[in-house]
Amino acid sequence: MNFGMILDFVIMICGVYVIYETVQMKTGSKIPEMLTGKGFLMEQAKDPAGFIRFILPYTLGTGIALLVSGLFGMFEILETCPPAETVMRVALVVVIVVYGMVLMYAQKKYLAG
């Protein structure tokens, strides 16, 4: 087991966790702390329901991207085609950066008072 495989395993676990928190957010209508930051008081939120509606598909998509990328890396599915693996890694970084920007926008619009 090499370091790359361990890293892919961690990425996969992160994807599973994000998907789990997304399902919890959808079923329980409670915003997880990972999306608001530590110490944020939900009583101060302007529109928590709007935040959930807005951020839910982005969070689910990011979780799926993390899970798929981790699985592809762990099982070395793209090992025979290094350019495809590089494209997958770059695409994952783009997904994470865009998600971070969308999350910041949603926090300002729906949560910040």
Side-chain angles (χ1 to χ4, degrees), residues 15-89:
V16 169
Y17 179 71
V18 169
I19 292 170
Y20 170 77
E21 287 291 343
T22 304
V23 170
Q24 293 291 63
M25 182 170 53
K26 176 73 174 167
T27 59
S29 296
K30 182 177 181 290
I31 301 172
E33 190 175 295
M34 74 173 194
L35 298 181
T36 60
K38 190 173 182 174
F40 181 79
L41 301 174
M42 287 309 297
E43 297 80 32
Q44 297 175 345
K46 287 193 298 190
D47 184 10
F51 178 80
I52 290 172
R53 271 192 315 277
F54 180 82
I55 205 67
L56 192 84
Y58 295 103
T59 305
L60 183 61
T62 302
I64 290 170
L66 286 164
L67 176 63
V68 168
S69 175
L71 285 172
F72 272 43
M74 272 191 62
F75 294 113
E76 299 175 341
I77 293 172
L78 299 175
E79 183 180 329
T80 59
C81 187
E85 185 173 11
T86 301
V87 168
M88 180 189 69
R89 300 291 184 195

Side-chain angles (χ1 to χ4, degrees), residues 1 4-14 70-71 73-74:
M1 181 179 262
M5 192 175 284
I6 293 170
L7 188 60
D8 288 323
F9 180 72
V10 170
I11 291 171
M12 183 189 70
I13 294 301
C14 288
L71 285 172
M74 272 191 62

